[in-house]
Amino acid sequence: MKEQEHQIIGLIYDAAMDTRLWPQVIEAIVHYTNSKTAIFTALDQLSPSYDFVHTYNIPQACIDAYQDERIKVIDMKLHAPLWQQIGVGDTIEQNLQSYGQMPGTDEYIFYERCLEPTGICHIAAVLLDQGQHRWAVLGIHRAPDAQPYSPEEHEFLKRIGKHLRRALQIHRQINLIQQDNLSLYTVLDSLKTGIVLLDQNLCLSYSNPVAQKMLDQSSCLDLDIHNRLKTNYAQQVRFDQLLESALLEDTTIQTEVGGVLALSDGAGSQFMLTVVPFKKLRNMQHLQSAQHQIALFMTDKNQHYSLSRAYLQQCYQLSKREFDLCELLINGYKIEDIAEQCGITLSSVRTYFKNIYEKTQCCSQIELMHLLMGCTIHFEHIK
């Protein structure tokens, strides 16, 4: 079973780069959990082209029903409170069989339109993303006569959810700048995240400009004479383990496929690395499939957060000055520091933020910070 799980994980990272593989991922998860159907959906108002819905064994009539405005309202009314009670990465489970015994109610309408045609009842789902403007979830379903999902299967969803979240982050980054007819290297060169690709011998085969700058300016990672990445002795063993696991050469003895590692040096530099398999990039041009086997996503732990100006201006009508103050706030500046940085009085800063609270309908700085964190456009490291 572990080997099957690792194969699914490897396929997830392939699908992060080639969205045509997502149906295979969903089908594999359905078979692995002895489910009947599944739905994997994500949306992001900051990047509408990123939105998608992938399903397995769900009739088109049910998919169409989910797009109906009345059903959307009913779905939100019945089930949104459940998502509000859990955090990203957590799971929920429901037995919806009772919906079919409640004629004349919203529950029955939802049963008639969405559940009965598919023949499902037991539902388990993992929340993959949640924010002011984005949402993602994987749901798997069983028939009424099947057993409910066990605690072990919930743990599987949580484990697989971590990799799905990383894959969504990778896909979002590429989606931000990907256009028709771009080669792989044009795409990766444009990312604001450091990217390093390694071949089957763990030798560096490509690095984008951001990664090159990070390697030049820090001793967290260096290249040896064989063109392999090296870090300090204390962290090298774990780094090598992550690289080896990402090759997927022997999944029967691995407990993880790739992963996340924090690196630091004596000069104060701190990197976060995500190590993932990087194969079968069928939607990219000019790529030799055997040339790249592993991808490392590199970020500075103290990186500057960027906000989506277009989204904040469109949704909340923030002025340029208000946007600049929000970006300073999200990067850890205190009110006094913001006044000094912008060359304005403390009273003016407070007035600006009072206006920002009114426009965003936030009641406190903490609430505003939560909203702004959902509007960042950088790669997020998921441990």
Side-chain angles (χ1 to χ4, degrees):
M1 295 294 284
K2 274 292 184 183
E3 184 173 358
Q4 286 181 266
E5 183 173 330
H6 287 304
Q7 290 172 349
I8 293 173
I9 292 170
L11 189 57
I12 284 171
Y13 289 117
D14 290 342
M17 305 300 301
D18 185 351
T19 56
R20 294 171 297 181
L21 297 179
W22 280 122
Q24 295 181 35
V25 174
I26 308 309
E27 182 178 1
I29 292 173
V30 166
H31 291 323
Y32 185 83
T33 57
N34 295 313
S35 299
K36 183 177 181 180
T37 65
I39 184 169
F40 177 44
T41 181
L43 61 89
D44 188 342
Q45 290 175 281
L46 299 183
S47 181
S49 60
Y50 163 84
D51 300 354
F52 61 81
V53 176
H54 297 294
T55 64
Y56 176 76
N57 204 29
I58 295 181
Q60 186 61 45
C62 294
I63 298 174
D64 293 341
Y66 274 106
Q67 304 305 315
D68 183 274
E69 286 303 320
R70 185 185 181 192
I71 298 300
K72 285 182 179 180
V73 172
I74 290 175
D75 188 15
M76 183 176 297
K77 175 183 174 182
L78 294 177
H79 308 125
L82 291 171
W83 293 117
Q84 294 171 0
Q85 297 171 15
I86 71 170
V88 172
D90 291 335
T91 61
I92 60 170
E93 181 171 1
Q94 281 188 290
N95 182 344
L96 303 183
Q97 192 168 14
S98 62
Y99 284 14
Q101 303 167 3
M102 306 168 68
T105 65
D106 287 342
E107 285 85 351
Y108 188 81
I109 294 173
F110 189 81
Y111 169 81
E112 189 178 42
R113 296 287 303 277
C114 301
L115 302 179
E116 186 178 28
T118 310
I120 60 175
C121 165
H122 301 291
I123 294 178
V126 57
L127 184 62
L128 302 172
D129 199 1
Q130 187 179 47
Q132 184 72 16
H133 59 82
R134 62 184 185 238
W135 180 78
V137 66
L138 167 70
I140 54 177
H141 324 113
R142 285 177 176 162
D145 57 350
Q147 291 294 317
Y149 288 96
S150 66
E152 291 76 18
E153 287 166 328
H154 277 269
E155 289 303 314
F156 164 75
L157 276 183
K158 290 180 181 179
R159 291 195 302 272
I160 214 75
K162 177 174 63 176
H163 297 285
L164 287 169
R165 289 176 62 209
R166 290 177 184 163
L168 288 174
Q169 286 291 324
I170 294 168
H171 178 57
R172 176 179 286 115
Q173 283 290 305
I174 292 178
N175 187 261
L176 287 173
I177 46 83
Q178 187 176 21
Q179 300 173 6
D180 291 340
N181 301 319
L182 284 181
S183 71
L184 168 71
Y185 306 108
T186 304
V187 171
L188 299 184
D189 282 348
S190 303
L191 290 180
K192 296 180 179 179
T193 302
I195 301 287
V196 170
L197 304 183
L198 307 180
D199 64 19
Q200 64 271 21
N201 297 314
L202 302 182
C203 296
L204 188 145
S205 54
Y206 164 85
S207 62
N208 72 351
V210 176
Q212 292 171 18
K213 183 177 179 180
M214 295 174 73
L215 291 171
D216 288 341
Q217 296 181 350
S218 171
S219 59
C220 288
L221 279 175
D222 290 308
L223 286 170
D224 65 14
I225 59 174
H226 304 293
N227 213 32
R228 294 184 177 181
L229 291 171
K230 296 296 178 183
T231 185
N232 61 67
Y233 178 79
Q235 296 168 307
Q236 186 67 47
V237 173
R238 176 58 180 159
F239 184 43
D240 289 341
Q241 289 174 344
L242 295 180
L243 294 177
E244 291 291 344
S245 72
L247 285 175
L248 298 179
E249 289 181 344
D250 188 358
T251 58
T252 60
I253 61 172
Q254 298 291 346
T255 58
E256 186 69 89
V257 177
V260 178
L261 180 65
L263 299 178
S264 59
D265 63 15
S269 293
Q270 293 180 306
F271 286 177
M272 291 291 290
L273 303 180
T274 288
V275 180
V276 298
F278 201 76
K279 301 176 182 178
K280 303 177 184 177
L281 310 186
R282 301 171 187 171
N283 65 329
M284 300 295 187
Q285 302 175 18
H286 315 305
L287 175 68
Q288 299 177 15
S289 58
Q291 185 178 0
H292 307 307
Q293 296 294 319
I294 297 174
L296 276 70
F297 282 67
M298 304 169 55
T299 58
D300 187 334
K301 205 170 181 181
N302 299 313
Q303 71 175 357
H304 175 85
Y305 285 100
S306 296
L307 296 173
S308 173
R309 184 185 298 273
Y311 175 79
L312 289 172
Q313 289 180 337
Q314 177 182 350
C315 291
Y316 302 109
Q317 289 75 52
L318 296 190
S319 67
K320 181 182 183 303
R321 173 68 85 178
E322 290 168 344
F323 174 85
D324 292 341
L325 267 59
C326 285
E327 200 159 70
L328 289 172
L329 181 68
I330 200 71
N331 281 287
Y333 284 77
K334 297 180 180 178
I335 299 296
E336 295 79 6
D337 300 329
I338 293 175
E340 182 178 350
Q341 182 77 12
C342 296
I344 58 180
T345 66
L346 191 58
S347 175
S348 296
V349 173
R350 291 197 174 104
T351 299
Y352 275 119
F353 275 109
K354 180 181 178 181
N355 293 333
I356 292 170
Y357 290 152
E358 290 178 356
K359 290 182 177 181
T360 59
Q361 297 184 343
C362 291
C363 299
S364 67
Q365 187 177 109
I366 293 177
E367 191 173 345
L368 178 62
M369 285 287 287
H370 180 74
L371 182 149
L372 295 177
M373 283 303 296
C375 300
T376 58
I377 57 175
H378 278 291
F379 185 85
E380 300 172 34
H381 266 94
I382 298 165
K383 299 182 180 180

